[in-house]
Structures are given as structure tokens and as C-alpha cells.
Amino acid sequence: MSAAAKSAAAHPRWTLVACILASSLSFVEGSVLNVALPAIRASFGAGASEVQWVVNAYLLPLSALLLLGGALGDQHGRKHLRIIGTGLFAASSLLCALAPDLTWLLVGRVLQGIGAALLLPNSLALLNATFEGEERGRAIGIWAAAGAAAAAVAPLIGGWLVDNVGWPAIFYINLPLAGGAILIAARFAAESRNEDAARTDYPGALLATLGLFGITYGLTLWSVEMRIAPLNAALGLGGVVLLGLFLWVEKHRGDQAMMPLGMFGNRCFVGTNLLTFLLYGAFGVVMLLLPYVLIEAGGYSPLQAGLALTPLAIVIALASPLMGKIAARIGGRLPLTAGPMVVAAGMLLATRIDAEASYVTTVLPAVLVLAMGMALAVAPLTSTVLSSVDQRHAGTASGLNSAVARTGGLIATALLGAVLVSNGEALIAPFHTALVVGAFVSIAAGAAAWLTVDGAAAPKRKAAEA
């Protein structure tokens, strides 16, 4: 019996619920923090670069360790690693909420990133092993919709908490989510692993982790200083060299590699990861900068900024499950090409936003178009990535894809640093520049999908499994 058959959960719907709750921790954390950044900055008397570290302290370990988190789940059990990661995320959220100063907040953010690196790839891989065929596409669509909806609703809840309770409350809301995810998974989810996996490729894992850390840390330093200095150049170059050594090690380990290079012989796998990097980097620009600009330049309260983003939840939650099913039938090429193009249009619409802009006629149209574009792409992207590799490497593939997405988000954070040097209405001009750059990047993402994704990829995979 195959590993997938053995791992078929007796309660697949509860498994889906547990995975949604766990993944929502990371999705919520990224978006709710955006409306709290001005309050955190004021609370600690932090400068622009220090506020940026609040974001990057989470993204650095998340980007560097996602690949290892997926590989560990493949070998030791995806359910087991997901529960450990969720527990660590909850404990570190409590540390963030109780942090007496900025240093302890940053320590908590680092630990949150480590926990997310364990729970994110293993939640998705557990879903991939629990469902098959069109049901898998539908489940992934629901997972993507719930995560996107949680990320979009979170600013509304977070804005209310910042206004009425204080910014530490945004970390307390993670505790019930984590508790529910752990209890439901422990009771209802079946374990899933790659039974053919060799011992964990620790040399490859170490090189990949250090390489990604060097690149992302170097980028973070560059974004703080906005110039190429010896330290950030050395870190970036060192990271590239280490990733080169990682590829050399993986090549010589063959099928025992943590990341078998044979996956990259699939044009679709390469293309969808390129799309992920470009699209999530571009979209990250908007999700980081829009609420900050509305608060600092537009005079919105945190609650009002959260309300401004609420339509994202409605559109993505309604459309993503449908797009997951459609992509399972027609393949991902069309939605993965159209989605980034629509996102680009939304970014160009957002360049109309200024300090005096009307929400209904200026902000809302841009938010709706952005939401429609992401709804077209999120679920088809996830299912297409997983369909491009064999079941044995589902955890590795999802870990790599998530790492690519977060690395794109880290670049968006660098753009946030460029905007944060300004205040008030002076934020508008660099905000518009970032949006135009993001639009061109989104167009490039759509072009990557058109050139690399087979329109019939999903049906072919389904037929092969049958």
C-alpha cells in the first residue's frame, strides 16, 4: 500500500480544519502586524530600521528553515512536526506579547519564524497526503481561501485590538488558534511520512539553511542602510557560495538528497517557483505598505486601516475554492497567467491613492482588483507546485515553495525600509514608486506561468494517479 493510502485520515475534514488553523497562525501574523507597526514603533521609540527588524526577525528564520522543516516532516512525520511547530509558535507568541523591550520582542519573532517553518510545509503536505484527485484540489482551495481570508480579516481584528487593548493583544489571539490546531490534529489527523526517505540530509540542510540565511540577512542589512557595504556584500556572496555547495552536495547524494535535483528537471516546477517569488514579492509590497501609508499619511486609525483591507477576505474566500476545483480540471496555466496580470492592474490603480484620497472611489477599487487577482492565482499555484513532483517529495516541494514565497516577502520588506525613511504625506511618492515596480514584477510572474506551465498539467496528473 502506498504512503498516501496508508495516511488517508479517518477524519479528512477535521484534518483540513486542523491544517487551516495551524497555517492561519502564519498568515494572520503577517497581516495583523502591518496595522500594529506604527503603535509598536511608538511604544518602543523605535526608528525606521528597528521597525523593519520587527518584520525581518520573523522572515529570516522562516525563509531559511522552511526547506528543512518540509524534509524533516517527510522523514519523521508531518503530523508530528506540525504539532511541534504549532506549539513553538504559540509559546513564542506569548513571549512577544509579554516582551518588556524591543530586544525580547525580536527574540520572540525569531522563534515564531522557526515554528512557522515547521508548521507551514507540513500542514500543506499533510493535506496533500490526505486527499486525492479533485478532492485534493478542492481541499487546497479551501485551505488557501481560509488562510487568505484569515490574513485579510486579521487587520480588522488587530486594528480593533491595537485601538482598544494595545498592540500586545495581537499576539495573544494566536493562543486559541494554536490550541485548537494541536488538539484537533492530535485527535483526528493520521500521520503521514515518506517511508522510503533516507536519514535526514543534515549536511545539505545545514548548507541550505546557512546559504538562505546569508542571503536574507545580507538583504536585510542592505535594506536598513540602502547601500552596498562590506558586511552585507560579504553575507550575500557567502550565501550564494553556500547554496552552490548545497547544490553540489545534493547532486552527489542522488535520491537520498533532502532536495532531489531531479525536481528541477520539471519545467513546471521551476516556472511555478519563479512565479511564486515574483508574485508574492510584489503582493507583499502592497500588504506591507498600504495599511502603513493609510495610517501614517492618510490619518486612518488602525481599526480603519483594517476595515479598508476587509474586502480582500470576502473576495478571496469566495473565489479560491472554486479556482482550486477549476485548476484541477483545466490545469494551472490560464489562472496562473491571468492572476498576476490582474494583481498588476490593482497595483497601478493603487497609485491613485494619496493623503486625501476617498476610500470608496480610490482605495476600494484597488483593493478589490488586487483581491481578484490573488484569488485567481493562490489555489492553482499551490496545487500546480504539488502536482509537478511525486508524492514522496511533497513536503520538500511545499517547503521550498513556501521559502521562495517568504524570500519574495523579504524583498518587499526592503522596499518598506525605503518608504519608512519618509513621514506623513512624503510617504506617498515612494509608495507609488514601489507600486509601479510591483506591477512590472507581477506582469513578469504571469509571463513565467504562460511560458512554463502546461495547461493540461492537472488533468494529466489526475489520469496518471487513476
Side-chain angles (χ1 to χ4, degrees):
M1 183 179 291
S2 68
K6 288 181 181 179
S7 66
H11 302 280
R13 292 183 180 178
W14 282 111
T15 300
L16 175 59
V17 171
C19 290
I20 286 172
L21 287 175
S23 300
S24 293
L25 289 169
S26 180
F27 297 144
V28 165
E29 197 59 39
S31 59
V32 74
L33 187 72
N34 295 337
V35 299
L37 279 176
I40 293 174
R41 180 177 184 174
S43 174
F44 292 122
S49 62
E50 292 172 315
V51 172
Q52 194 177 2
W53 273 105
V54 176
V55 179
N56 287 345
Y58 175 78
L59 288 175
L60 282 170
L62 178 57
S63 300
L65 297 176
L66 270 167
L67 189 61
L68 178 59
L72 288 173
D74 281 346
Q75 179 178 355
H76 300 292
R78 293 145 185 167
K79 171 184 171 180
H80 180 63
L81 266 293
R82 197 196 65 78
I83 289 176
I84 291 175
T86 306
L88 177 58
F89 197 99
S92 55
S93 295
L94 184 60
L95 175 60
C96 289
L98 298 175
D101 54 41
L102 185 62
T103 299
W104 280 107
L105 176 62
L106 295 180
V107 170
R109 293 287 288 162
V110 169
L111 293 175
Q112 278 188 318
I114 296 172
L118 295 177
L119 71 89
L120 271 177
N122 290 300
S123 292
L124 186 53
L126 195 60
L127 278 185
N128 197 53
T130 301
F131 296 91
E132 296 182 355
E134 284 191 20
E135 285 300 310
R136 177 182 295 161
R138 182 173 181 272
I140 291 175
I142 294 173
W143 172 84
V153 171
L156 175 61
I157 300 173
W160 184 88
L161 290 172
V162 172
D163 279 344
N164 295 278
V165 182
W167 66 261
I170 69 171
F171 295 104
Y172 285 124
I173 62 176
N174 293 331
L175 302 183
L177 286 174
I182 291 172
L183 291 175
I184 294 173
R187 173 65 180 84
F188 295 110
E191 186 56 279
S192 166
R193 59 169 54 87
N194 175 10
E195 296 179 354
D196 298 325
R199 292 180 61 84
T200 301
D201 177 15
Y202 288 110
L206 179 62
L207 287 170
T209 300
L210 291 177
L212 286 171
F213 182 81
I215 291 174
T216 53
Y217 191 24
L219 178 61
T220 300
L221 292 179
W222 171 83
S223 68
V224 171
E225 302 173 0
M226 296 306 297
R227 66 184 180 88
I228 298 177
L231 179 57
N232 58 48
L235 284 167
L237 180 60
V240 171
V241 171
L242 288 171
L243 286 183
L245 288 174
F246 165 68
L247 295 176
W248 182 83
V249 168
E250 298 304 276
K251 178 180 178 181
H252 284 78
R253 288 185 64 89
D255 290 338
Q256 296 184 349
M258 181 181 69
M259 187 186 73
L261 297 186
M263 291 193 301
F264 292 91
N266 185 307
R267 187 182 67 171
C268 179
F269 181 78
V270 174
T272 48
N273 276 286
L274 175 60
L275 182 152
T276 299
F277 176 79
L278 297 173
L279 179 61
Y280 276 85
F283 188 66
V285 170
V286 180
M287 296 309 296
L288 284 168
L289 298 184
L290 180 56
Y292 193 90
V293 169
L294 290 177
I295 293 171
E296 291 294 308
Y300 284 52
S301 69
L303 177 58
Q304 290 171 329
L307 281 168
L309 298 178
T310 300
L312 278 165
I314 300 172
V315 174
I316 295 176
L318 291 176
S320 286
L322 176 61
M323 288 310 305
K325 292 189 69 174
I326 291 175
R329 294 178 180 176
I330 69 170
R333 187 184 192 191
L334 183 58
L336 290 180
T337 300
M341 300 297 181
V342 175
V343 169
M347 290 181 180
L348 294 177
L349 270 178
T351 60
R352 299 167 59 235
I353 297 173
D354 58 32
E356 305 297 329
S358 163
Y359 175 75
V360 174
T361 61
T362 305
V363 180
L364 180 60
V367 168
L368 289 175
V369 174
L370 285 164
M372 288 187 287
M374 291 304 292
L376 281 170
V378 171
L381 175 58
T382 302
S383 58
T384 302
V385 169
L386 292 177
S387 295
S388 65
V389 299
D390 59 59
Q391 178 64 36
R392 294 186 305 121
H393 300 305
T396 302
S398 65
L400 176 63
N401 188 249
S402 295
V404 168
R406 269 61 194 186
T407 303
L410 189 59
I411 293 176
T413 307
L415 291 175
L416 172 63
V419 175
L420 283 176
V421 298
S422 303
N423 295 291
E425 292 189 21
L427 286 167
I428 299 300
F431 173 55
H432 289 173
T433 300
L435 288 171
V436 172
V437 172
F440 280 105
V441 172
S442 294
I443 291 170
W450 181 259
L451 293 173
T452 62
V453 176
D454 182 355
K460 284 181 179 178
R461 172 66 180 262
K462 179 185 173 186
E465 291 177 344

PDB file of all heavy atoms in Angstrom, residues 372-406:
ATOM      1  N   MET A 372      -9.085  40.019  -6.458  1.00  0.00           N
ATOM      2  CA  MET A 372      -9.491  39.136  -7.554  1.00  0.00           C
ATOM      3  C   MET A 372      -8.272  38.488  -8.202  1.00  0.00           C
ATOM      4  O   MET A 372      -8.301  37.300  -8.550  1.00  0.00           O
ATOM      5  CB  MET A 372     -10.303  39.927  -8.582  1.00  0.00           C
ATOM      6  CG  MET A 372     -11.694  40.301  -8.098  1.00  0.00           C
ATOM      7  SD  MET A 372     -12.725  41.058  -9.387  1.00  0.00           S
ATOM      8  CE  MET A 372     -11.954  42.678  -9.531  1.00  0.00           C
ATOM      9  N   GLY A 373      -7.203  39.241  -8.352  1.00  0.00           N
ATOM     10  CA  GLY A 373      -6.001  38.675  -8.939  1.00  0.00           C
ATOM     11  C   GLY A 373      -5.403  37.582  -8.085  1.00  0.00           C
ATOM     12  O   GLY A 373      -5.035  36.512  -8.597  1.00  0.00           O
ATOM     13  N   MET A 374      -5.305  37.801  -6.780  1.00  0.00           N
ATOM     14  CA  MET A 374      -4.750  36.774  -5.902  1.00  0.00           C
ATOM     15  C   MET A 374      -5.665  35.569  -5.796  1.00  0.00           C
ATOM     16  O   MET A 374      -5.199  34.426  -5.716  1.00  0.00           O
ATOM     17  CB  MET A 374      -4.485  37.367  -4.521  1.00  0.00           C
ATOM     18  CG  MET A 374      -3.341  38.372  -4.477  1.00  0.00           C
ATOM     19  SD  MET A 374      -1.754  37.724  -5.106  1.00  0.00           S
ATOM     20  CE  MET A 374      -1.354  36.510  -3.838  1.00  0.00           C
ATOM     21  N   ALA A 375      -6.977  35.790  -5.815  1.00  0.00           N
ATOM     22  CA  ALA A 375      -7.916  34.662  -5.777  1.00  0.00           C
ATOM     23  C   ALA A 375      -7.749  33.768  -6.998  1.00  0.00           C
ATOM     24  O   ALA A 375      -7.881  32.541  -6.906  1.00  0.00           O
ATOM     25  CB  ALA A 375      -9.348  35.182  -5.698  1.00  0.00           C
ATOM     26  N   LEU A 376      -7.457  34.364  -8.140  1.00  0.00           N
ATOM     27  CA  LEU A 376      -7.218  33.567  -9.346  1.00  0.00           C
ATOM     28  C   LEU A 376      -5.983  32.686  -9.220  1.00  0.00           C
ATOM     29  O   LEU A 376      -5.945  31.573  -9.744  1.00  0.00           O
ATOM     30  CB  LEU A 376      -7.043  34.495 -10.552  1.00  0.00           C
ATOM     31  CG  LEU A 376      -8.288  35.082 -11.202  1.00  0.00           C
ATOM     32  CD1 LEU A 376      -7.902  36.162 -12.203  1.00  0.00           C
ATOM     33  CD2 LEU A 376      -9.091  33.988 -11.887  1.00  0.00           C
ATOM     34  N   ALA A 377      -4.980  33.154  -8.484  1.00  0.00           N
ATOM     35  CA  ALA A 377      -3.668  32.501  -8.520  1.00  0.00           C
ATOM     36  C   ALA A 377      -3.352  31.603  -7.335  1.00  0.00           C
ATOM     37  O   ALA A 377      -2.634  30.604  -7.502  1.00  0.00           O
ATOM     38  CB  ALA A 377      -2.567  33.562  -8.631  1.00  0.00           C
ATOM     39  N   VAL A 378      -3.849  31.903  -6.134  1.00  0.00           N
ATOM     40  CA  VAL A 378      -3.345  31.242  -4.925  1.00  0.00           C
ATOM     41  C   VAL A 378      -3.544  29.731  -4.951  1.00  0.00           C
ATOM     42  O   VAL A 378      -2.582  28.962  -4.833  1.00  0.00           O
ATOM     43  CB  VAL A 378      -3.999  31.850  -3.665  1.00  0.00           C
ATOM     44  CG1 VAL A 378      -3.653  31.018  -2.439  1.00  0.00           C
ATOM     45  CG2 VAL A 378      -3.512  33.277  -3.462  1.00  0.00           C
ATOM     46  N   ALA A 379      -4.782  29.274  -5.070  1.00  0.00           N
ATOM     47  CA  ALA A 379      -5.033  27.831  -5.032  1.00  0.00           C
ATOM     48  C   ALA A 379      -4.438  27.101  -6.238  1.00  0.00           C
ATOM     49  O   ALA A 379      -3.810  26.046  -6.077  1.00  0.00           O
ATOM     50  CB  ALA A 379      -6.538  27.560  -4.924  1.00  0.00           C
ATOM     51  N   PRO A 380      -4.602  27.598  -7.481  1.00  0.00           N
ATOM     52  CA  PRO A 380      -3.960  26.924  -8.615  1.00  0.00           C
ATOM     53  C   PRO A 380      -2.441  26.850  -8.485  1.00  0.00           C
ATOM     54  O   PRO A 380      -1.830  25.856  -8.890  1.00  0.00           O
ATOM     55  CB  PRO A 380      -4.369  27.784  -9.812  1.00  0.00           C
ATOM     56  CG  PRO A 380      -5.659  28.407  -9.398  1.00  0.00           C
ATOM     57  CD  PRO A 380      -5.496  28.676  -7.931  1.00  0.00           C
ATOM     58  N   LEU A 381      -1.824  27.874  -7.900  1.00  0.00           N
ATOM     59  CA  LEU A 381      -0.372  27.851  -7.734  1.00  0.00           C
ATOM     60  C   LEU A 381       0.042  26.724  -6.801  1.00  0.00           C
ATOM     61  O   LEU A 381       0.958  25.947  -7.101  1.00  0.00           O
ATOM     62  CB  LEU A 381       0.109  29.197  -7.187  1.00  0.00           C
ATOM     63  CG  LEU A 381       1.597  29.306  -6.847  1.00  0.00           C
ATOM     64  CD1 LEU A 381       2.455  29.001  -8.064  1.00  0.00           C
ATOM     65  CD2 LEU A 381       1.913  30.685  -6.298  1.00  0.00           C
ATOM     66  N   THR A 382      -0.628  26.609  -5.670  1.00  0.00           N
ATOM     67  CA  THR A 382      -0.286  25.570  -4.704  1.00  0.00           C
ATOM     68  C   THR A 382      -0.469  24.182  -5.287  1.00  0.00           C
ATOM     69  O   THR A 382       0.413  23.320  -5.192  1.00  0.00           O
ATOM     70  CB  THR A 382      -1.153  25.724  -3.441  1.00  0.00           C
ATOM     71  OG1 THR A 382      -0.948  27.025  -2.879  1.00  0.00           O
ATOM     72  CG2 THR A 382      -0.787  24.682  -2.404  1.00  0.00           C
ATOM     73  N   SER A 383      -1.614  23.937  -5.904  1.00  0.00           N
ATOM     74  CA  SER A 383      -1.878  22.604  -6.449  1.00  0.00           C
ATOM     75  C   SER A 383      -0.964  22.280  -7.618  1.00  0.00           C
ATOM     76  O   SER A 383      -0.557  21.128  -7.800  1.00  0.00           O
ATOM     77  CB  SER A 383      -3.354  22.494  -6.873  1.00  0.00           C
ATOM     78  OG  SER A 383      -3.678  23.470  -7.833  1.00  0.00           O
ATOM     79  N   THR A 384      -0.592  23.288  -8.422  1.00  0.00           N
ATOM     80  CA  THR A 384       0.293  23.045  -9.558  1.00  0.00           C
ATOM     81  C   THR A 384       1.693  22.687  -9.090  1.00  0.00           C
ATOM     82  O   THR A 384       2.344  21.797  -9.650  1.00  0.00           O
ATOM     83  CB  THR A 384       0.348  24.275 -10.478  1.00  0.00           C
ATOM     84  OG1 THR A 384      -0.981  24.581 -10.929  1.00  0.00           O
ATOM     85  CG2 THR A 384       1.223  24.014 -11.693  1.00  0.00           C
ATOM     86  N   VAL A 385       2.187  23.358  -8.046  1.00  0.00           N
ATOM     87  CA  VAL A 385       3.500  23.020  -7.498  1.00  0.00           C
ATOM     88  C   VAL A 385       3.519  21.583  -7.008  1.00  0.00           C
ATOM     89  O   VAL A 385       4.439  20.805  -7.312  1.00  0.00           O
ATOM     90  CB  VAL A 385       3.867  23.983  -6.346  1.00  0.00           C
ATOM     91  CG1 VAL A 385       5.095  23.477  -5.588  1.00  0.00           C
ATOM     92  CG2 VAL A 385       4.141  25.378  -6.888  1.00  0.00           C
ATOM     93  N   LEU A 386       2.502  21.190  -6.246  1.00  0.00           N
ATOM     94  CA  LEU A 386       2.475  19.836  -5.702  1.00  0.00           C
ATOM     95  C   LEU A 386       2.257  18.784  -6.783  1.00  0.00           C
ATOM     96  O   LEU A 386       2.735  17.656  -6.665  1.00  0.00           O
ATOM     97  CB  LEU A 386       1.384  19.729  -4.635  1.00  0.00           C
ATOM     98  CG  LEU A 386       1.645  20.526  -3.359  1.00  0.00           C
ATOM     99  CD1 LEU A 386       0.473  20.402  -2.398  1.00  0.00           C
ATOM    100  CD2 LEU A 386       2.930  20.072  -2.677  1.00  0.00           C
ATOM    101  N   SER A 387       1.550  19.133  -7.835  1.00  0.00           N
ATOM    102  CA  SER A 387       1.320  18.193  -8.926  1.00  0.00           C
ATOM    103  C   SER A 387       2.559  17.973  -9.782  1.00  0.00           C
ATOM    104  O   SER A 387       2.638  16.999 -10.525  1.00  0.00           O
ATOM    105  CB  SER A 387       0.177  18.693  -9.825  1.00  0.00           C
ATOM    106  OG  SER A 387      -1.042  18.722  -9.129  1.00  0.00           O
ATOM    107  N   SER A 388       3.534  18.864  -9.673  1.00  0.00           N
ATOM    108  CA  SER A 388       4.723  18.761 -10.518  1.00  0.00           C
ATOM    109  C   SER A 388       5.806  17.859  -9.924  1.00  0.00           C
ATOM    110  O   SER A 388       6.830  17.625 -10.559  1.00  0.00           O
ATOM    111  CB  SER A 388       5.302  20.157 -10.773  1.00  0.00           C
ATOM    112  OG  SER A 388       5.779  20.739  -9.578  1.00  0.00           O
ATOM    113  N   VAL A 389       5.587  17.346  -8.685  1.00  0.00           N
ATOM    114  CA  VAL A 389       6.550  16.426  -8.076  1.00  0.00           C
ATOM    115  C   VAL A 389       5.813  15.173  -7.633  1.00  0.00           C
ATOM    116  O   VAL A 389       4.585  15.163  -7.519  1.00  0.00           O
ATOM    117  CB  VAL A 389       7.254  17.078  -6.864  1.00  0.00           C
ATOM    118  CG1 VAL A 389       8.032  18.311  -7.282  1.00  0.00           C
ATOM    119  CG2 VAL A 389       6.261  17.428  -5.765  1.00  0.00           C
ATOM    120  N   ASP A 390       6.569  14.103  -7.361  1.00  0.00           N
ATOM    121  CA  ASP A 390       5.921  12.890  -6.893  1.00  0.00           C
ATOM    122  C   ASP A 390       5.564  13.020  -5.420  1.00  0.00           C
ATOM    123  O   ASP A 390       6.073  13.876  -4.700  1.00  0.00           O
ATOM    124  CB  ASP A 390       6.799  11.654  -7.132  1.00  0.00           C
ATOM    125  CG  ASP A 390       8.151  11.753  -6.442  1.00  0.00           C
ATOM    126  OD1 ASP A 390       8.160  11.903  -5.204  1.00  0.00           O
ATOM    127  OD2 ASP A 390       9.186  11.681  -7.142  1.00  0.00           O
ATOM    128  N   GLN A 391       4.667  12.130  -4.963  1.00  0.00           N
ATOM    129  CA  GLN A 391       4.126  12.208  -3.604  1.00  0.00           C
ATOM    130  C   GLN A 391       5.223  12.142  -2.538  1.00  0.00           C
ATOM    131  O   GLN A 391       5.120  12.753  -1.481  1.00  0.00           O
ATOM    132  CB  GLN A 391       3.116  11.060  -3.401  1.00  0.00           C
ATOM    133  CG  GLN A 391       2.513  10.986  -2.007  1.00  0.00           C
ATOM    134  CD  GLN A 391       1.676  12.196  -1.675  1.00  0.00           C
ATOM    135  OE1 GLN A 391       1.010  12.742  -2.542  1.00  0.00           O
ATOM    136  NE2 GLN A 391       1.728  12.635  -0.428  1.00  0.00           N
ATOM    137  N   ARG A 392       6.300  11.403  -2.814  1.00  0.00           N
ATOM    138  CA  ARG A 392       7.365  11.219  -1.815  1.00  0.00           C
ATOM    139  C   ARG A 392       7.996  12.543  -1.410  1.00  0.00           C
ATOM    140  O   ARG A 392       8.492  12.695  -0.306  1.00  0.00           O
ATOM    141  CB  ARG A 392       8.466  10.299  -2.354  1.00  0.00           C
ATOM    142  CG  ARG A 392       8.030   8.872  -2.601  1.00  0.00           C
ATOM    143  CD  ARG A 392       9.214   8.003  -2.983  1.00  0.00           C
ATOM    144  NE  ARG A 392       9.950   8.530  -4.129  1.00  0.00           N
ATOM    145  CZ  ARG A 392      11.232   8.861  -4.108  1.00  0.00           C
ATOM    146  NH1 ARG A 392      11.924   8.767  -2.994  1.00  0.00           N
ATOM    147  NH2 ARG A 392      11.836   9.312  -5.201  1.00  0.00           N
ATOM    148  N   HIS A 393       8.013  13.510  -2.325  1.00  0.00           N
ATOM    149  CA  HIS A 393       8.708  14.765  -2.067  1.00  0.00           C
ATOM    150  C   HIS A 393       7.743  15.934  -1.850  1.00  0.00           C
ATOM    151  O   HIS A 393       8.120  17.095  -2.043  1.00  0.00           O
ATOM    152  CB  HIS A 393       9.647  15.085  -3.233  1.00  0.00           C
ATOM    153  CG  HIS A 393      10.680  14.028  -3.466  1.00  0.00           C
ATOM    154  ND1 HIS A 393      11.541  13.591  -2.491  1.00  0.00           N
ATOM    155  CD2 HIS A 393      10.972  13.291  -4.579  1.00  0.00           C
ATOM    156  CE1 HIS A 393      12.336  12.646  -2.981  1.00  0.00           C
ATOM    157  NE2 HIS A 393      12.005  12.450  -4.238  1.00  0.00           N
ATOM    158  N   ALA A 394       6.506  15.607  -1.431  1.00  0.00           N
ATOM    159  CA  ALA A 394       5.513  16.669  -1.248  1.00  0.00           C
ATOM    160  C   ALA A 394       5.955  17.668  -0.190  1.00  0.00           C
ATOM    161  O   ALA A 394       5.829  18.887  -0.365  1.00  0.00           O
ATOM    162  CB  ALA A 394       4.164  16.060  -0.871  1.00  0.00           C
ATOM    163  N   GLY A 395       6.477  17.175   0.942  1.00  0.00           N
ATOM    164  CA  GLY A 395       6.912  18.073   1.996  1.00  0.00           C
ATOM    165  C   GLY A 395       8.070  18.947   1.562  1.00  0.00           C
ATOM    166  O   GLY A 395       8.112  20.142   1.860  1.00  0.00           O
ATOM    167  N   THR A 396       9.023  18.352   0.847  1.00  0.00           N
ATOM    168  CA  THR A 396      10.168  19.116   0.361  1.00  0.00           C
ATOM    169  C   THR A 396       9.730  20.181  -0.626  1.00  0.00           C
ATOM    170  O   THR A 396      10.182  21.338  -0.567  1.00  0.00           O
ATOM    171  CB  THR A 396      11.182  18.170  -0.316  1.00  0.00           C
ATOM    172  OG1 THR A 396      11.585  17.174   0.623  1.00  0.00           O
ATOM    173  CG2 THR A 396      12.404  18.924  -0.786  1.00  0.00           C
ATOM    174  N   ALA A 397       8.844  19.809  -1.545  1.00  0.00           N
ATOM    175  CA  ALA A 397       8.381  20.751  -2.557  1.00  0.00           C
ATOM    176  C   ALA A 397       7.617  21.908  -1.929  1.00  0.00           C
ATOM    177  O   ALA A 397       7.816  23.079  -2.290  1.00  0.00           O
ATOM    178  CB  ALA A 397       7.509  20.041  -3.584  1.00  0.00           C
ATOM    179  N   SER A 398       6.729  21.604  -0.970  1.00  0.00           N
ATOM    180  CA  SER A 398       5.959  22.677  -0.343  1.00  0.00           C
ATOM    181  C   SER A 398       6.857  23.551   0.524  1.00  0.00           C
ATOM    182  O   SER A 398       6.661  24.771   0.600  1.00  0.00           O
ATOM    183  CB  SER A 398       4.810  22.101   0.489  1.00  0.00           C
ATOM    184  OG  SER A 398       5.301  21.355   1.584  1.00  0.00           O
ATOM    185  N   GLY A 399       7.862  22.940   1.173  1.00  0.00           N
ATOM    186  CA  GLY A 399       8.793  23.733   1.962  1.00  0.00           C
ATOM    187  C   GLY A 399       9.591  24.691   1.102  1.00  0.00           C
ATOM    188  O   GLY A 399       9.762  25.860   1.444  1.00  0.00           O
ATOM    189  N   LEU A 400      10.069  24.195  -0.049  1.00  0.00           N
ATOM    190  CA  LEU A 400      10.829  25.047  -0.956  1.00  0.00           C
ATOM    191  C   LEU A 400       9.959  26.169  -1.500  1.00  0.00           C
ATOM    192  O   LEU A 400      10.372  27.336  -1.550  1.00  0.00           O
ATOM    193  CB  LEU A 400      11.395  24.213  -2.106  1.00  0.00           C
ATOM    194  CG  LEU A 400      12.139  24.994  -3.187  1.00  0.00           C
ATOM    195  CD1 LEU A 400      13.369  25.678  -2.605  1.00  0.00           C
ATOM    196  CD2 LEU A 400      12.536  24.083  -4.340  1.00  0.00           C
ATOM    197  N   ASN A 401       8.733  25.836  -1.897  1.00  0.00           N
ATOM    198  CA  ASN A 401       7.847  26.853  -2.454  1.00  0.00           C
ATOM    199  C   ASN A 401       7.499  27.914  -1.420  1.00  0.00           C
ATOM    200  O   ASN A 401       7.451  29.106  -1.738  1.00  0.00           O
ATOM    201  CB  ASN A 401       6.579  26.192  -3.000  1.00  0.00           C
ATOM    202  CG  ASN A 401       5.707  27.146  -3.773  1.00  0.00           C
ATOM    203  OD1 ASN A 401       4.620  27.495  -3.345  1.00  0.00           O
ATOM    204  ND2 ASN A 401       6.185  27.577  -4.939  1.00  0.00           N
ATOM    205  N   SER A 402       7.273  27.487  -0.179  1.00  0.00           N
ATOM    206  CA  SER A 402       6.993  28.457   0.875  1.00  0.00           C
ATOM    207  C   SER A 402       8.209  29.328   1.160  1.00  0.00           C
ATOM    208  O   SER A 402       8.079  30.531   1.419  1.00  0.00           O
ATOM    209  CB  SER A 402       6.561  27.733   2.155  1.00  0.00           C
ATOM    210  OG  SER A 402       5.335  27.063   1.963  1.00  0.00           O
ATOM    211  N   ALA A 403       9.408  28.727   1.114  1.00  0.00           N
ATOM    212  CA  ALA A 403      10.629  29.511   1.319  1.00  0.00           C
ATOM    213  C   ALA A 403      10.787  30.556   0.224  1.00  0.00           C
ATOM    214  O   ALA A 403      11.182  31.699   0.482  1.00  0.00           O
ATOM    215  CB  ALA A 403      11.846  28.586   1.353  1.00  0.00           C
ATOM    216  N   VAL A 404      10.471  30.165  -0.997  1.00  0.00           N
ATOM    217  CA  VAL A 404      10.553  31.101  -2.117  1.00  0.00           C
ATOM    218  C   VAL A 404       9.570  32.250  -1.916  1.00  0.00           C
ATOM    219  O   VAL A 404       9.902  33.419  -2.147  1.00  0.00           O
ATOM    220  CB  VAL A 404      10.271  30.363  -3.439  1.00  0.00           C
ATOM    221  CG1 VAL A 404      10.050  31.347  -4.583  1.00  0.00           C
ATOM    222  CG2 VAL A 404      11.429  29.423  -3.782  1.00  0.00           C
ATOM    223  N   ALA A 405       8.356  31.939  -1.459  1.00  0.00           N
ATOM    224  CA  ALA A 405       7.352  32.980  -1.228  1.00  0.00           C
ATOM    225  C   ALA A 405       7.808  33.949  -0.146  1.00  0.00           C
ATOM    226  O   ALA A 405       7.665  35.173  -0.286  1.00  0.00           O
ATOM    227  CB  ALA A 405       6.022  32.347  -0.837  1.00  0.00           C
ATOM    228  N   ARG A 406       8.366  33.415   0.928  1.00  0.00           N
ATOM    229  CA  ARG A 406       8.805  34.282   2.022  1.00  0.00           C
ATOM    230  C   ARG A 406      10.026  35.101   1.641  1.00  0.00           C
ATOM    231  O   ARG A 406      10.209  36.219   2.108  1.00  0.00           O
ATOM    232  CB  ARG A 406       9.095  33.452   3.271  1.00  0.00           C
ATOM    233  CG  ARG A 406       7.891  33.292   4.188  1.00  0.00           C
ATOM    234  CD  ARG A 406       6.772  32.588   3.502  1.00  0.00           C
ATOM    235  NE  ARG A 406       5.501  32.691   4.187  1.00  0.00           N
ATOM    236  CZ  ARG A 406       4.422  32.036   3.786  1.00  0.00           C
ATOM    237  NH1 ARG A 406       4.469  31.256   2.719  1.00  0.00           N
ATOM    238  NH2 ARG A 406       3.284  32.160   4.434  1.00  0.00           N
TER     239      ARG A 406
END
